[in-house]
Amino acid sequence: MKSTTWVSIFPSSIQELLSKLPEPILDRIEEVRVRQERPLELNYAGQFHYVSRRGVLTDVPHEGYRPTREDGNRLLDFITNHSLYTMEEELRKGYITIQGGHRIGLAGRAVLTKGHVDHLRDITSFNIRIAREMQGVGDSIIPYLLDFRHQTVNHTLIVSPPQHGKTTLIRDLARLMSTGQWRHPEAKWKGLKVGVVDERSEIAGCMKGVPSFDVGPRTDVLDGCPKAEGMMMMIRSMSPDVMLVDEIGRPEDAEAIREALHAGIRVIATAHGGELEDVLRRPVLNKLMSDELFQSYVVLRRSGRGMSRRFYDARRRLLHPDGLAMKGGGMDG
């Protein structure tokens, strides 16, 4: 499947503009932001540009194509499969995930019931996050996560700012662990049973329960289920060897992770943060880290020079590429 098939999400007026862009740019787009009567915006490789009425990139806002109310209505009609009523729960959360694992954030007027958001109406802003399968991104990382003594993987927390590759990485790690591709000459054990709790339908991109992405032959996916509840369901029903979950941070997430660890299940989770210090400032995650429940940490950061990856052990000591702790590299406290 061509990587630009996501263009068909949009109404014809926007499709026509996007189709004029060079394919190397289309292949790298991470977000398309459609705001009614404001310039059409693209984000890729850490940059943002507007799309002009001629279908070329510009940094001048008034040169950008301004999506109309009709554009917004057609986009909303498509992503809700012509039925707003059936998407009430998604509208309450503020996003909809569609075929291919693409997540569409929504903004407009919030309708409240007893002081809480009931749903959104008059939706005028859409943030289309393009999901892409990038097999191989986990190849250079998985060797640092291996537990040779028990022939499995370490309990691992992956940290990065938004849009720096956490979800793409854990998707590929699920595939590698499920198939037993450990990318280390001394790792000889077979693939593991993998459980993915995919609350936002982004990791596996399931449609009617079937993953759109290759997450491996021994992987079970619980799609659209809140993380904490989903982890407990996985523990009780699917007996995974390792469980993957995206963007933890709530108290109930931490309790479910503890239950998984006590049940002998390895957990690979992600969290937002620029550095480990950022994660330590969050009380729920600080407790998990202070108790050394995670055995490995991976910090991802993207810059103009590409993607940097740093590895830490359970005591949050920075590791050399050969896996040895660096003196003075710790973050204790």
Side-chain angles (χ1 to χ4, degrees), residues 276-283 285-286 289-290 316 331 333:
L276 287 186
E277 291 96 332
D278 299 332
V279 184
L280 282 165
R281 294 189 186 101
R282 300 165 65 179
L285 296 180
N286 181 291
M289 296 168 72
S290 298
R316 306 187 297 280
M331 296 174 52

Side-chain angles (χ1 to χ4, degrees), residues 24-82:
I25 290 178
L26 284 174
D27 287 340
R28 299 173 66 194
I29 290 174
E30 298 162 10
E31 287 185 344
V32 180
R33 290 182 177 261
V34 177
R35 303 178 177 101
Q36 185 179 312
E37 301 301 337
R38 285 158 291 170
L40 180 66
E41 179 186 328
L42 303 181
N43 294 309
Y44 68 93
Q47 308 174 50
F48 78 91
H49 302 280
Y50 305 113
V51 182
S52 78
R53 301 168 188 83
R54 296 180 291 111
V56 297
L57 298 184
T58 177
D59 293 328
V60 182
H62 74 260
E63 293 179 354
Y65 173 76
R66 294 175 179 267
T68 65
R69 176 176 290 275
E70 183 64 20
D71 289 331
N73 289 342
R74 289 182 177 178
L75 178 57
L76 185 62
D77 192 46
F78 178 84
I79 64 178
T80 58
N81 198 25
H82 315 290

Side-chain angles (χ1 to χ4, degrees), residues 21-311:
L21 296 173
E23 192 141 333
I25 290 178
L26 284 174
D27 287 340
R28 299 173 66 194
I29 290 174
E30 298 162 10
E31 287 185 344
V32 180
R33 290 182 177 261
V34 177
R35 303 178 177 101
Q36 185 179 312
E37 301 301 337
R38 285 158 291 170
L40 180 66
E41 179 186 328
L42 303 181
N43 294 309
Y44 68 93
Q47 308 174 50
F48 78 91
H49 302 280
Y50 305 113
V51 182
S52 78
R53 301 168 188 83
R54 296 180 291 111
V56 297
L57 298 184
T58 177
D59 293 328
V60 182
H62 74 260
E63 293 179 354
Y65 173 76
R66 294 175 179 267
T68 65
R69 176 176 290 275
E70 183 64 20
D71 289 331
N73 289 342
R74 289 182 177 178
L75 178 57
L76 185 62
D77 192 46
F78 178 84
I79 64 178
T80 58
N81 198 25
H82 315 290
S83 177
L84 275 173
Y85 176 77
T86 61
M87 294 289 184
E88 283 187 349
E89 182 61 30
E90 288 83 353
L91 293 176
R92 183 178 297 113
K93 293 178 179 178
Y95 65 87
I96 294 173
T97 304
I98 64 172
Q99 185 171 6
H102 310 301
R103 193 175 83 181
I104 301 175
L106 307 168
R109 180 185 175 189
V111 178
L112 305 182
T113 300
K114 296 183 179 179
H116 298 282
V117 175
D118 185 80
H119 63 278
L120 294 176
R121 60 177 298 181
D122 300 329
I123 295 169
T124 57
S125 291
F126 304 81
N127 176 23
I128 297 89
R129 295 181 60 178
I130 309 304
R132 288 191 175 86
E133 185 171 37
M134 298 179 63
Q135 293 192 2
V137 296
D139 287 356
S140 61
I141 289 177
I142 197 167
Y144 292 94
L145 312 184
L146 301 182
D147 179 345
F148 286 89
R149 179 182 175 186
H150 298 99
Q151 296 192 343
T152 183
V153 291
N154 290 330
H155 306 301
T156 302
L157 182 65
I158 300 169
V159 176
S160 86
Q163 288 189 272
H164 283 237
K166 295 187 302 299
T167 304
T168 303
L169 174 58
I170 62 170
R171 180 187 302 131
D172 199 45
L173 290 177
R175 179 184 65 87
L176 293 171
M177 292 185 295
S178 181
T179 56
Q181 298 182 54
W182 305 114
R183 304 307 189 202
H184 193 291
E186 298 178 20
K188 305 295 185 182
W189 59 91
K190 295 182 179 181
L192 303 175
K193 291 181 295 180
V194 177
V196 174
V197 180
D198 198 1
E199 180 173 1
R200 296 173 176 169
S201 304
E202 289 186 294
I203 302 172
C206 286
M207 289 302 297
K208 297 184 178 180
V210 179
S212 301
F213 300 121
D214 182 0
V215 289
R218 304 193 70 205
T219 299
D220 301 298
V221 181
L222 188 55
D223 182 58
C225 184
K227 287 183 282 288
E229 186 176 355
M231 284 188 275
M232 297 305 299
M233 291 173 64
M234 273 286 182
I235 293 169
R236 292 191 295 263
S237 62
M238 302 308 296
S239 65
D241 298 312
V242 58
M243 191 158 51
L244 290 92
V245 62
D246 209 4
E247 298 181 12
I248 63 169
R250 296 173 298 183
E252 55 266 36
D253 298 340
E255 287 305 309
I257 287 172
R258 289 180 184 274
E259 286 297 320
L261 303 190
H262 295 327
I265 298 169
R266 301 302 171 108
V267 174
I268 295 183
T270 74
H272 284 316
E275 301 289 346
L276 287 186
E277 291 96 332
D278 299 332
V279 184
L280 282 165
R281 294 189 186 101
R282 300 165 65 179
V284 170
L285 296 180
N286 181 291
K287 179 62 175 172
L288 289 175
M289 296 168 72
S290 298
D291 291 346
E292 296 188 7
L293 295 186
F294 292 111
Q295 300 163 305
S296 298
Y297 296 92
V298 182
V299 177
L300 305 176
R301 286 300 298 266
R302 185 170 56 194
S303 66
R305 296 177 296 176
M307 183 69 72
S308 70
R309 298 158 297 177
R310 281 175 285 131
F311 303 90

